[in-house]
Amino acid sequence: MTTIKAIRIEKTGGPEAMTLRDVELGQPKPGEITVRAKAIGVNFIDTYHRSGLYPVPLPSGIGMEAAGVVEAVGEGVTQFKVGDRAAYASGPIGAYAQANNVVASSAVKVPDGIGDEQAAAMMLKGLTAQFLLRQTFRVEKGQTILWHAAAGGVGLIACQWAKHLGATVIGTVGSEEKAKLAREHGCDHVIDYSKEDVAARVKEITGGKKLPVVYDGVGKSTFISSLDSLAPLGLLVSFGNASGPVTDVNLGILAQKGSLYVTRPTMFHYAAKTPTAMQEMADDLFSVVKSGAVKIEVKQRYSLAEAARAHIDLESRKTVGASVLVP
């Protein structure tokens, strides 16, 4: 047993539900590794776990991703050794901690040329961009796509990547500051949803053709405008709930608006397709980052004790790019 500092939640609620505690971390079980964190990613899914939108058994740790060094290796683990650099972005949750035991098959090796903060900031967001752009809908050169919240953590990565793939990228934002950031990160067109009708602008930009795909991590407030931005037989990829979940949908609306498709994917199902899927997805991500085509920018840093402030900033839309906790 090792005593470490970790964030715990006893009951769901606001950011104040998180407290920093001394906890005992046992040795890794068979198939697990212990990762001593150098940097920890902060993501919207963490706020869903904390608030109860995505229920978890309580009491609980919190956090999905971190990067650091392998400190111990459980029985049967062959792909990692003590001293290896590693990162992870999947359960069990508990990444907001100085160290964490994780299943070795869900962790990936971090190559030279990728920093710890970069790795922690890119795993969940970057792997999300990977499966959305390269698997859920395979973006090809010459296509035009729409990405909601283009200045968010996933958006900044995905828009750069989509541009690198040869797509024309339309991004939505909520302020002029974020519009500037989106333009600097691959967006050919930026729509300020606080001032403009998104679907009308999409129709204008595309000459009435509209789009084959819309990527929507915002949820409730953008659902209809996303559907209205799609060409017949287009696909809405709904992958987040930043404005609240989409509920009580009449499926007939998909027929009325053009025999549309909707999917609600998660990274974890894509990463579980094969035993090596997670590392292959990560290698694809690391490759575009190392090439310089996609830049990972950590814009906010907090100590582990400041986790509540990190959530307040994230939920109030004050953040841009990526946020990390530095234990």
Side-chain angles (χ1 to χ4, degrees):
M1 286 281 187
T2 303
T3 302
I4 62 166
K5 292 195 178 294
I7 297 290
R8 289 288 184 266
I9 49 174
E10 299 290 332
K11 60 182 181 180
T12 57
E16 71 284 351
M18 298 185 293
T19 57
L20 186 63
R21 303 271 183 90
D22 286 331
V23 300
E24 297 298 315
L25 183 70
Q27 290 297 305
K29 296 174 184 175
E32 291 184 341
I33 57 175
T34 303
V35 178
R36 172 67 60 169
K38 299 288 188 181
I40 300 158
V42 179
N43 297 282
F44 250 106
I45 194 172
D46 305 340
T47 71
Y48 302 160
H49 290 146
R50 187 211 72 225
S51 69
L53 179 62
Y54 290 179
V56 297
L58 297 175
S60 175
I62 189 168
M64 300 295 291
E65 76 178 338
V69 177
V70 176
E71 200 168 64
V73 175
E75 182 184 337
V77 174
T78 57
Q79 65 269 52
F80 289 98
K81 63 182 185 301
V82 173
D84 282 349
R85 298 181 67 218
Y88 60 92
S90 59
I93 68 173
Y96 286 19
Q98 291 177 323
N100 195 22
N101 291 332
V102 296
V103 176
S105 60
S106 67
V108 301
K109 288 187 174 180
V110 179
D112 293 340
I114 300 290
D116 291 322
E117 287 191 3
Q118 259 192 326
M122 81 164 79
M123 282 295 290
L124 197 58
K125 291 177 277 290
L127 291 175
T128 297
Q130 197 281 337
F131 84 77
L132 293 174
L133 294 172
R134 309 306 291 138
Q135 299 184 74
T136 304
F137 179 98
R138 194 169 178 85
V139 172
E140 305 287 353
K141 184 177 181 179
Q143 292 174 328
T144 302
I145 72 165
L146 173 65
W147 198 285
H148 283 296
V154 179
L156 290 180
I157 295 172
C159 291
Q160 292 178 81
W161 202 337
K163 186 66 176 175
H164 173 64
L165 293 170
T168 296
V169 183
I170 305 171
T172 70
V173 298
S175 70
E176 186 50 46
E177 178 193 5
K178 291 189 175 183
K180 181 175 182 293
L181 198 62
R183 290 189 188 97
E184 292 169 351
H185 290 77
C187 286
D188 299 281
H189 306 275
V190 179
I191 302 171
D192 185 338
Y193 58 75
S194 69
K195 301 175 183 175
E196 301 175 275
D197 182 313
V198 172
R201 281 285 288 125
V202 166
K203 194 171 181 181
E204 181 184 323
I205 291 165
T206 60
K209 293 181 180 179
K210 299 198 279 191
L211 305 168
V213 65
V214 171
Y215 292 100
D216 189 344
V218 177
K220 185 177 181 179
S221 68
T222 51
F223 180 67
I224 296 300
S225 68
S226 292
L227 296 180
D228 288 338
S229 298
L230 287 167
L233 309 185
L235 172 66
L236 169 57
V237 182
S238 176
F239 66 95
N241 310 301
S243 69
V246 178
T247 58
D248 302 321
V249 176
N250 174 4
L251 291 181
I253 197 173
L254 303 179
Q256 296 162 18
K257 293 183 181 293
S259 296
L260 303 178
Y261 294 86
V262 177
T263 185
R264 183 63 173 85
T266 71
M267 182 186 78
F268 311 111
H269 293 121
Y270 283 86
K273 288 197 300 184
T274 68
T276 59
M278 178 70 90
Q279 186 70 58
E280 289 165 3
M281 289 165 63
D283 288 345
D284 190 20
L285 171 64
F286 294 148
S287 177
V288 294
V289 172
K290 288 180 72 173
S291 76
V294 173
K295 294 177 175 60
I296 306 296
E297 294 170 317
V298 175
K299 298 287 191 179
Q300 295 84 211
R301 292 172 179 83
Y302 308 85
S303 69
L304 199 53
E306 294 176 308
R309 186 162 72 85
H311 278 213
I312 290 169
D313 290 349
L314 188 65
E315 290 180 298
S316 62
R317 308 286 181 91
K318 288 181 180 177
T319 63
V320 292
S323 302
V324 295
L325 305 178
V326 182

